[in-house]
Amino acid sequence: TPWYFADIDTSMMAIPYTFSGNNYVPYGLYSHPMYPASQLKTTPLDLSRFLRAYMNYGVVEDVRILDSTTVAMICDVHWNSNASYGPFIVDIGLTWWLFDFQINEFLPELSFTFHPGSMYGVKTFMGGSLSGDLNLGTIIFTNGNEMLPVLDLWIALTEFGIHLDEIYPTDITLEATFL
């Protein structure tokens, strides 16, 4: 999981695209001077370890890497923005956005934390449940410009994950790749 192109095999990276007219137009691989604010180069599996560390209050794979009080402070609301982000009304923690959401009328309202990413031709979403026993995290990487389809996909995957957790209440990792 590097920051720089020199530290990764770029032939394995998705190319950022935009849609113009009736065609997808590649941006090509690019960087910008906002390091380390964006453009981390990683895989869903590597990033899932980071997400699991937050969801488990600092513990990943039986190793404590963050103090639980640090994670609690990071995930606490530091700015009551009441801003709309797609279908969500969010508050802001430290790097994490926080919201309560009811996936559908059959499920209770749950608390989630997430971090979106957005650059030219790249939309990402990483989020996890903060609701008691529900141990559910989702990571989505896309190479396009639209965020609402990413949020719709997150809702569908989260609903699927909740039902999967009801059927198989164990720790499992499900990774899906779409080309």
Side-chain angles (χ1 to χ4, degrees), residues 16-170:
Y17 281 86
T18 189
F19 194 74
S20 178
N22 292 324
N23 299 305
Y24 286 99
V25 179
Y27 281 110
L29 299 177
Y30 62 90
S31 61
H32 58 82
M34 294 186 342
Y35 162 85
S38 67
Q39 293 199 329
L40 177 68
K41 291 129 186 83
T42 190
T43 66
L45 192 57
D46 283 353
L47 194 57
S48 74
R49 295 182 77 230
F50 178 79
L51 179 57
R52 284 183 284 157
Y54 278 95
M55 291 175 60
N56 294 320
Y57 287 89
V59 176
V60 64
E61 297 172 5
D62 297 323
V63 176
R64 176 159 299 284
I65 61 171
L66 291 169
D67 189 274
S68 61
T69 58
T70 301
V71 175
M73 179 188 68
I74 290 169
C75 292
D76 280 347
V77 173
H78 292 271
W79 180 41
N80 290 317
S81 70
N82 289 318
S84 175
Y85 190 78
F88 313 123
I89 303 299
V90 300
D91 290 315
I92 310 295
L94 299 178
T95 74
W96 292 97
W97 298 15
L98 310 144
F99 65 97
D100 294 329
F101 188 68
Q102 187 170 359
I103 301 295
N104 64 39
E105 67 272 13
F106 304 109
L107 297 169
E109 185 172 270
L110 301 169
S111 295
F112 293 92
T113 182
F114 74 102
H115 186 86
S118 180
M119 291 301 299
Y120 299 112
V122 177
K123 297 294 180 267
T124 63
F125 187 96
M126 172 177 59
S129 169
L130 299 176
S131 296
D133 294 333
L134 180 62
N135 191 11
L136 176 66
T138 307
I139 296 170
I140 302 169
F141 294 160
T142 68
N143 59 339
N145 276 332
E146 298 298 321
M147 190 53 129
L148 284 178
V150 173
L151 297 176
D152 289 342
L153 178 60
W154 176 82
I155 291 169
L157 288 172
T158 300
E159 186 172 12
F160 173 75
I162 290 169
H163 292 304
L164 189 65
D165 187 60
E166 291 170 353
I167 299 167
Y168 303 104
T170 60

